[in-house]
Amino acid sequence: MNKVNKLALASAMTGLIALAGSVASTSAVAGEAKEKCYGIAKAGKNDCATKTSSCAGTSKVDGQKDAFIAVPKGMCDRLHGGSTESA
């Protein structure tokens, strides 16, 4: 095997290892229990529709009371301004 082939193979293997690591960490997070946390989303960063808009990412102001983001279960109560119920 010449030097160019070894370099290409090493680069490909490094990429595959990095991809596998990111998939594994995403899978672990995806399995974690989540809850809706209202009142903490930044403008345009909400996860789903609100009472006044039909799509994710459409909240108009920071901390909009009917806009939520999904957070790990139990975390919302610890966040300033966070509520598990829409206002």
Side-chain angles (χ1 to χ4, degrees):
M1 207 177 228
N2 67 21
K3 207 176 223 180
V4 173
N5 287 343
K6 285 182 183 179
L7 181 60
L9 180 60
S11 296
M13 291 302 293
T14 302
L16 288 174
I17 291 169
L19 179 62
S22 67
V23 168
S25 65
T26 302
S27 297
V29 172
E32 187 176 336
K34 301 280 186 177
E35 67 184 349
K36 294 177 182 179
C37 189
Y38 296 89
I40 62 167
K42 295 290 185 187
K45 300 293 183 180
N46 58 308
D47 282 344
C48 201
T50 69
K51 292 177 184 176
T52 57
S53 64
S54 62
C55 298
T58 56
S59 58
K60 303 292 182 206
V61 295
D62 290 350
Q64 187 172 319
K65 296 298 181 191
D66 65 339
F68 74 86
I69 59 172
V71 298
K73 193 145 185 85
M75 180 179 277
C76 188
D77 294 332
R78 295 184 286 175
L79 297 173
H80 177 72
S83 172
T84 54
E85 295 186 20
S86 178

